[in-house]
């Protein structure tokens, strides 16, 4: 039989697309193919023993939502899921630059030097201004795009800051938000990504409107599980990894690794780009799409939860938030300690816990160690930051996302330098293939909310082809059928000209010499 | 039956490894599995119609060898292949910066501005000095490695040069040598790669000892074809793409996509890293190896040959060498014209021809066009550079390596910023798996010579395990059994400190103010 739609990928994006399609037309014949033995993709809620034989659920994948993330909030409401606020009261802990442990309560990070603070503030103002000019729909349409895309976040920030602590703060932010180091990411991608979230601080902070504002009662994987119930369990096939996708004259044939075939009029590929390049496509992807799929590496992030009997950090006036360069370590083969960022993870059932990340280069280095070595190092670091009570923990759970089959990393794919001119093509349909997944989102790209937005957009694209009567003009805004959302011709890119810091240096030098000569003369 | 060795990949590296193993012990049972329907990997020699019903052979893949490339020269001699010099007499053409066509005869490129030339010379001196300190065996063991690896070639050169023409010259060099733009490559990788070739200019030039010094009579693919004869045709199985590799207690099981299985004591994987990540490994790669395989993208390079009735460029005093930013173009959807670098390609049979590259971003953009559009643009550009006689060509042949199955690009995989700390792990064996391929070479990495060196190194590693008696101490130098060649612990990396250009700027500014104040005072 020929299905109307085959959706590849049973994560938040794919299941959202399937659900919206069936909402629009319940008669559509549709099937979702998921490679794993579970739905949810990069959301994963697991039961953890919390002592006294009790068990509570924790998110080892995406866990936060913010009040400016309309798409996920609407979905939560539709599914009857509730949120509760991220705990943020009290002292925060910072370990940067000189590796000393410092605490602070205001929004102003406690850096050792005032110049460091000033540099950081000016830098943040500058990137906020710049981010506002870089649309994620087509980053190359922004000023100086080509040159900015040729620069890493690391080199860019070193032009504006010299204080080691300030530099490390941005690097830790990249590690926690992208699972990568500042040395690997294109500053243009960073700006576009921040813009899609409404600003750089929105991505990093835990306060109102920011990305880490609230959590979902019972865990975020419920979004996918409840969507499966609405779609119909029989339509979602687990353990069906797709091996190849063949586009014919009037249909698409999708074949699994076990050689089961599914035929459909349209296919939605809701899998991360790093998994797309493992599938065989006939005909193969057009050059831009192939390039961008091959050049969006996934972050390396290990998430850990430490369960405690009581939230001693709260009692001692700490929020549980830690921002750290990892600190020094004696462990061989790793450059730093494991921590990047930690937060209070006490559940709505009241189970006290701390959640944290081992990310970027440290993520790779500590991935080489045993779970026991990681656990020991994490607990040791928590004790240094929050007090020796941290040593007396109830349970430790971790998830190394790099080991997760059919995902291969976390939290998202990020842009490396020099390839952003192809980025809009990640989202573009290819004949009868449509693309979803949070990397293809244009609002809150890389977040659960982005996954939902991308799924809804892909559903509209497909519906426009299968049931044009059901789609209104305004439904197509932001899809490939909206001329305004198409990438521009790249010939009109402005290259950065004008005074560089080195020109100013020569200028000042000349001024100095002249002034000196002048003073000698009289 | 259990083979002694299965070699995956019938390119120069894999076939060299197989040949050396059988030379050392002809009783070894060995099989080579090649995915394509031909051997040679990224070397490809094809017959091209050259008019009057005549046919001559041209290299559409790797074609040059240099007199300092011992490994390939020894192999050529062993196989009875001869070389002939690359034609370099006469005027060279340069189109950079202002897009004007300029000619020059000396080694000094004809840049519009003197300051551009001076900047370029100082830049080249600096990178030569720096390259000498960056060993490809472990780039991170060099000074300031972490910070240099966080920088692209583009940002690095913009710190030292401001002349658009000089900047474009280095960018064109990256395009022709790596198939990528300066905006995508780690400067640390660039330095390590240059060091492995004996210097930056060795990589770029056509003169003695350099990479483009000579060509192989009859084409470079003969190396692989002659190796097959020595190994034995029956031992080299074409159209056997490997799907998965399973390491057991005492053997390795290699399964093809058609589910044929081969069992061996040791396996040599002589396929490019971008193909390794498409295979399934059980157990999966260790973290560092997985990271570096996932983060070595392959260049995008289209090679073209234009056949002429007579070598009009020689008659007009041109060498045929063109270095170009592509120039302006009216074609929609491409940022520049197609050319990056061209050379005389007249064969030893006397067939006049020009060879050139459409590479990096232009390679991707022109990949989107039809062959007719590319051909028209190339011929048009050649006419502008070498004279209108270029319009009257006999034949045009091209090879888009990005479309080549089981290769996916050309000429090589390059290092993106921020991942070089894992680079040495590309070469390291993983239990019973050994790794060859020019990307794993330590001498002339990325060249045919490097492929041979890597194959010989892998053969020694395997022989050391299967027939220890046949391997002497000195044979193990540079292999994983040579402690000196192992990556260091990364904790001792020096971060760049000291005065930056901006500090000097502030310094000079203060000096200016003081001097001025002083002059006012008196």
């Amino acid at each position: 039989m020929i299905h109307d739609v085959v959706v590849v990928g049973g994560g938040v994006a794919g299941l959202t697309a399937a659900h919206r399609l069936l909402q629009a037309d319940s008669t559509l014949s549709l099937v979702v193919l998921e490679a794993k033995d579970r739905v949810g993709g990069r959301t994963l809620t697991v039961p953890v023993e919390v002592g006294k034989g009790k068990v509570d659920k924790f998110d080892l994948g995406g866990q936060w939502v913010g009040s400016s993330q309309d798409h996920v909030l609407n979905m939560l409401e539709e599914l009857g899921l509730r949120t509760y606020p991220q705990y943020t009261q009290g002292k925060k802990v910072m370990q940067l630059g000189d590796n000393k442990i410092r605490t602070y309560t205001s929004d102003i990070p406690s850096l050792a030097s005032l110049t460091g603070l000033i540099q950081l503030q000016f830098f943040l103002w500058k990137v906020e201004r710049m981010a506002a000019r870089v649309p994620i729909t087509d980053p190359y349409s922004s000023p100086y795009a080509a040159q900015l895309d040729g620069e890493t976040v690391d080199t860019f920030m070193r032009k504006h800051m010299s204080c080691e602590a300030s530099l490390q703060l941005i690097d830790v932010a990249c590690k926690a938000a992208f699972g990568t180091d500042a040395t690997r990411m294109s500053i243009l991608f960073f700006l576009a990504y921040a813009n899609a979230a409404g600003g750089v601080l929105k991505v990093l902070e835990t306060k109102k409107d920011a990305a880490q504002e609230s959590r979902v009662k019972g865990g975020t994987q419920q979004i996918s599980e409840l969507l499966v119930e609405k779609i119909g369990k029989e339509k979602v096939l687990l353990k069906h990894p797709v091996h190849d996708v063949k586009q014919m004259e009037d249909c698409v044939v999708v074949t699994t690794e076990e050689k089961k075939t599914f035929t459909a009029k349209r296919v939605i590929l809701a899998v991360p780009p790093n998994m797309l390049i493992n599938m065989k496509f006939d005909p193969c992807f057009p050059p831009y799409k192939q390039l961008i799929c091959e050049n969006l590496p996934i972050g390396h992030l290990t998430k850990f939860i430490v369960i405690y009997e009581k939230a001693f950090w709260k009692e001692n006036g700490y929020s549980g938030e830690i921002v750290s360069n990892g600190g020094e370590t004696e462990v061989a083969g790793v450059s730093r300690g494991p921590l990047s960022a930690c937060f209070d993870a006490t559940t709505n059932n009241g189970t006290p816990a701390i959640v944290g990340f081992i990310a970027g280069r440290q993520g790779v280095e500590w991935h080489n160690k045993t779970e026991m070595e990681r656990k020991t190092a994490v607990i040791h670091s928590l004790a240094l930051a929050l007090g020796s009570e941290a040593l007396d923990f109830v349970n430790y759970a971790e998830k190394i996302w790099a080991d997760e089959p059919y995902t291969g990393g976390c939290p998202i794919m990020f842009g490396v330098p020099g390839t952003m001119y192809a980025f809009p093509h990640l989202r573009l349909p290819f004949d009868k293939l449509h693309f979803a997944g949070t990397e293809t989102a244009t609002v809150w790209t890389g977040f659960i909310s982005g996954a939902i937005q991308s799924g809804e957009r892909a559903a509209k694209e497909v519906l426009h082809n299968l049931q044009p009567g059901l789609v209104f003009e305004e439904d197509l805004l932001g899809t490939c059928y909206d001329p305004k959302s198409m990438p521009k011709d790249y010939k009109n890119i402005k290259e950065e000209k004008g005074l560089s810091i080195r020109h100013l240096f020569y200028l000042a030098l000349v001024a100095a010499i002249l002034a000196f000569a002048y003073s000698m003369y009289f």
Side-chain angles (χ1 to χ4, degrees), chain A:
Chain A
M1 85 177 273
I2 295 188
H3 292 285
D4 291 309
V5 188
V6 164
V7 177
V8 180
V12 175
L15 295 170
T16 298
H19 174 50
R20 292 295 180 228
L21 280 166
L22 293 170
Q23 272 182 320
D25 178 357
S26 57
T27 68
L28 286 175
S29 94
L30 173 152
V31 59
V32 180
L33 305 177
E34 167 55 46
K36 305 176 202 266
D37 57 5
R38 62 168 183 88
V39 293
R42 285 169 268 176
T43 61
L44 176 65
T45 310
V46 297
V48 178
E49 287 203 11
V50 298
K52 308 200 190 69
K54 280 217 240 70
V55 163
D56 201 351
K57 288 193 155 188
F58 286 89
D59 277 316
L60 288 179
Q63 75 175 74
W64 284 289
V65 300
S67 55
S68 68
Q69 299 179 340
D70 299 339
H71 295 88
V72 67
L73 293 183
N74 294 339
M75 180 62 82
L76 291 174
E77 181 154 16
E78 188 176 340
L79 299 174
L81 293 170
R82 299 269 163 277
T83 66
Y84 61 108
Q86 169 67 37
Y87 182 80
T88 58
Q89 280 97 61
K91 287 178 285 184
K92 303 171 189 165
V93 175
M94 201 161 254
Q95 178 180 33
L96 298 168
D98 58 9
N99 299 325
K100 285 213 185 67
I101 305 271
R102 293 183 173 78
T103 63
Y104 65 109
T105 44
S106 69
D107 289 346
I108 301 153
S110 66
L111 302 179
S113 76
L114 179 64
T115 58
L117 266 178
I118 295 168
Q119 288 180 352
L120 181 66
Q121 191 51 60
F122 275 96
F123 178 75
L124 289 174
W125 279 331
K126 186 180 177 77
V127 288
E128 287 288 17
R129 275 200 314 279
M130 292 176 74
R133 302 186 305 181
V134 185
I136 191 115
T137 48
D138 188 4
Y140 252 57
S141 65
S142 59
Y144 318 131
Q147 189 169 331
L148 284 173
D149 191 36
E151 214 170 315
T152 64
V153 173
D154 189 65
T155 33
F156 181 79
M157 69 183 178
R158 285 177 191 277
K159 285 181 183 173
H160 299 86
M161 304 189 289
S162 55
C163 164
E164 202 50 43
S166 321
L167 293 166
Q168 287 181 4
L169 182 60
I170 302 300
D171 187 47
V172 172
C174 292
K175 285 184 161 79
F178 302 90
T180 191
D181 315 289
T183 51
R184 291 181 62 190
M185 199 173 2
S186 157
I187 181 68
L188 188 68
F189 173 83
F190 178 88
L191 295 169
Y193 179 94
N195 187 2
V200 175
L201 289 180
K202 282 243 176 82
V203 173
L204 306 179
E205 294 188 325
T206 48
K207 59 170 72 151
K208 183 149 182 8
D209 286 1
Q212 284 73 241
E213 183 181 355
S214 323
R215 292 157 59 194
V216 176
K217 292 183 179 176
T220 55
Q221 197 179 358
Q222 295 174 103
I223 297 171
S224 300
E225 288 157 349
L226 292 170
L227 281 171
V228 170
E229 287 177 19
K230 290 192 178 287
I231 295 162
K233 277 195 167 42
E234 72 289 352
K235 294 198 185 74
V236 182
L237 308 181
L238 303 177
K239 298 185 197 162
H240 276 62
V242 169
H243 178 270
D244 64 86
V245 178
K246 193 171 172 54
Q247 299 203 62
M248 324 290 269
E249 182 64 41
D250 53 4
C251 68
V252 186
V253 180
V254 179
T255 310
T256 67
E257 288 185 358
E258 292 73 29
K259 305 279 176 241
K260 269 174 82 172
T261 67
F262 299 84
T263 310
K265 295 178 189 155
R266 293 271 156 175
V267 169
I268 295 178
L269 289 151
V271 300
N274 64 331
M275 291 297 120
L276 284 177
I277 58 175
N278 291 339
M279 301 178 188
K280 293 194 165 36
F281 291 91
D282 178 11
C284 62
F285 280 178
Y288 284 119
K289 192 181 274 291
Q290 186 64 28
L291 180 85
I292 196 62
C293 288
E294 285 176 356
N295 287 281
L296 285 179
I298 190 160
H300 195 301
L301 188 110
T302 293
K303 188 175 182 180
F304 62 80
I305 308 267
V306 187
I307 315 290
Y308 287 97
E309 205 172 307
K310 54 191 180 63
F312 64 88
W313 55 94
K314 294 184 183 179
E315 293 167 7
N316 302 345
Y318 288 92
S319 69
E321 182 174 330
I322 304 169
V323 172
S324 169
N325 60 19
E328 284 165 353
T329 176
E330 291 310 311
V331 181
V334 298
S335 56
R336 294 185 164 283
L339 300 192
S340 54
C342 298
F343 301 92
D344 175 276
T346 305
T347 65
N348 55 309
N349 304 325
T351 310
I354 293 285
V355 59
F357 305 101
I358 314 175
R361 180 176 164 188
Q362 284 146 280
V364 181
E365 291 171 345
W366 284 96
H367 189 178
N368 273 308
K369 301 293 169 185
T370 64
E371 173 167 358
M372 180 52 77
E373 287 171 307
R374 278 189 299 274
K375 185 199 292 187
T376 309
V378 163
I379 300 298
H380 173 73
S381 303
L382 289 178
L384 285 175
L386 301 174
S388 56
E389 294 125 299
L391 298 173
D392 183 20
F393 66 101
V394 175
N395 200 356
Y396 169 93
E398 67 171 21
K399 174 73 180 172
I400 302 176
W401 278 93
D403 289 342
E404 169 85 356
Y406 304 108
T407 304
C410 221
I412 60 157
M413 260 114 289
F414 58 91
V416 293
T419 58
M420 280 298 104
Y421 62 84
F423 192 66
H425 297 265
L426 186 68
R427 213 166 32 238
L428 290 189
F430 171 39
D431 195 359
K432 299 181 233 13
L433 309 182
H434 300 261
F435 295 83
T438 191
E439 281 77 14
T440 71
T442 54
V443 183
W444 282 101
T445 313
F447 292 82
I448 300 172
S449 196
I452 292 165
Q453 187 241 353
S454 75
E456 292 175 340
R457 189 252 314 140
K460 286 176 194 166
E461 291 175 0
V462 169
L463 208 59
H464 176 67
N465 285 280
L466 297 179
Q467 306 279 20
L470 296 174
V471 187
F472 303 104
E473 268 303 312
E474 60 267 33
D475 292 337
L476 297 177
L477 296 179
T479 71
C480 60
Y481 305 108
D482 167 15
K484 276 199 220 63
S485 78
M486 289 297 90
K488 318 273 167 301
D489 190 341
Y490 299 113
K491 224 183 262 85
N492 333 325
I493 295 158
K494 296 190 228 88
E495 284 290 332
E496 185 145 21
K497 284 268 165 286
L499 285 180
S500 77
I501 194 86
R502 48 208 307 273
H503 290 111
L504 290 172
F505 162 58
Y506 295 130
L507 219 71
L509 203 62
V510 171
I513 294 157
L514 285 178
F516 186 70
Y518 175 84
S519 65
M520 291 292 94
Y521 182 76
F522 297 100

